[in-house]
Each structure stands twice: as C-alpha cells, then as structure tokens.
Amino acid sequence: MSQDSAIYLVPLSLREANDFLAKYGRSYRPMRGCKFCVGCALDGKLAGAVIAGRCREDGQTVQIDRVYATGGRTAYGMLYGAAARAAQALGYWRIIAFLPEGRPDSALRAAGWQRMEPADSGGKQTAYERRLMVRRRWRG
C-alpha cells in the first residue's frame, strides 16, 4: 500500500498547522508559539493537524492546544497518538488534553489516553475555558 492511498503522519511547521486550522476549523485562532506540530495526510493532501504547547505544572507537561482533522475517524486517533509519542520523545513526562462536555472521546481512548478526574484548571481560566464550563481532562 502506498502512502498516496492511506492516511499517514507528516511533519508540520506552526505556520502550516495554523493555515490548515484557519481553513477548516473556523473557531480556532492562530497560535503564536508551540512546542511541536504534527499533521496527517490522505491521498497526498493535509487532512489533520495538532498543535501542542503551553507547558503546565512542573515544566514537564505539555498540552494539546489545537486539533482538527478532515480525514475521517482514524485521523483524530492518529494525531493524538502521534502527539503523545512526540512529547515522550522530546522528554516530557506527561501530555494532557481537555475536551468539552458532549464532544466524543473515542479518538483519545483509541490512542491509549486515560481520563483524569477532576478536570481542574489550576486556578485561572481563560475566556474560552469559562465558556466550556464542564471539561474532561485526558492524559496520554
């Protein structure tokens, strides 16, 4: 099977990830910085992107800030799994993601992530976090 007929991972720059998210994910604002970005492609075209950044807690934790995919159900699981492996390879102890209530968590479960309770924000909340009200915290 060639890479042109299957979904596969690709390296991305922050600019490429922001451009993809601006084109397909209308609610996303561009990120100014990040720790790393990973993408997936389908039939030779970019089909998903994940941006990880914002170190938390002890400096050994990285958070998924943006993720969006147009490449079907497997794209999200592939992106979450690749982000967790990349974070581990870079020396981070933990990678976390927050999902709003009502959003499916099957991609995180498929990628081997575990749900953490409770989803506390550690004090300050951004305006985006206040809008979500109920969040679920996951760890890869």
Side-chain angles (χ1 to χ4, degrees):
M1 186 182 311
S2 71
Q3 286 188 339
D4 288 335
S5 63
I7 193 164
Y8 56 95
L9 294 172
V10 294
L12 284 184
S13 68
L14 179 59
R15 179 175 290 193
E16 290 169 325
N18 276 332
D19 290 346
F20 177 82
L21 291 170
K23 183 176 180 181
Y24 294 105
R26 286 169 242 172
S27 64
Y28 291 109
R29 288 187 226 141
M31 296 289 298
R32 293 186 198 177
C34 70
K35 296 298 176 186
F36 61 87
C37 301
V38 179
C40 63
L42 179 64
D43 296 328
K45 294 183 181 177
L46 190 60
V50 63
I51 302 174
R54 290 182 23 191
C55 286
R56 297 262 183 179
E57 297 158 4
D58 57 5
Q60 291 297 314
T61 303
V62 68
Q63 176 178 319
I64 298 291
D65 287 323
R66 308 278 194 273
V67 62
Y68 192 81
T70 60
R73 286 204 233 167
T74 59
Y76 279 102
M78 181 180 264
L79 289 170
Y80 279 118
R85 291 188 304 274
Q88 183 181 17
L90 290 170
Y92 290 102
W93 295 347
R94 183 176 25 215
I95 183 169
I96 58 174
F98 292 98
L99 288 181
E101 191 66 34
R103 191 162 183 200
D105 56 11
S106 56
L108 287 163
R109 285 184 285 126
W113 288 51
Q114 299 172 354
R115 188 170 178 176
M116 298 174 61
E117 296 294 340
D120 102 45
S121 63
K124 289 186 175 181
Q125 287 184 325
T126 65
Y128 177 72
E129 291 168 341
R130 282 191 297 275
R131 273 190 321 208
L132 295 178
M133 301 301 262
V134 178
R135 301 180 308 153
R136 296 170 294 163
R137 185 176 180 181
W138 288 78
R139 182 179 77 185

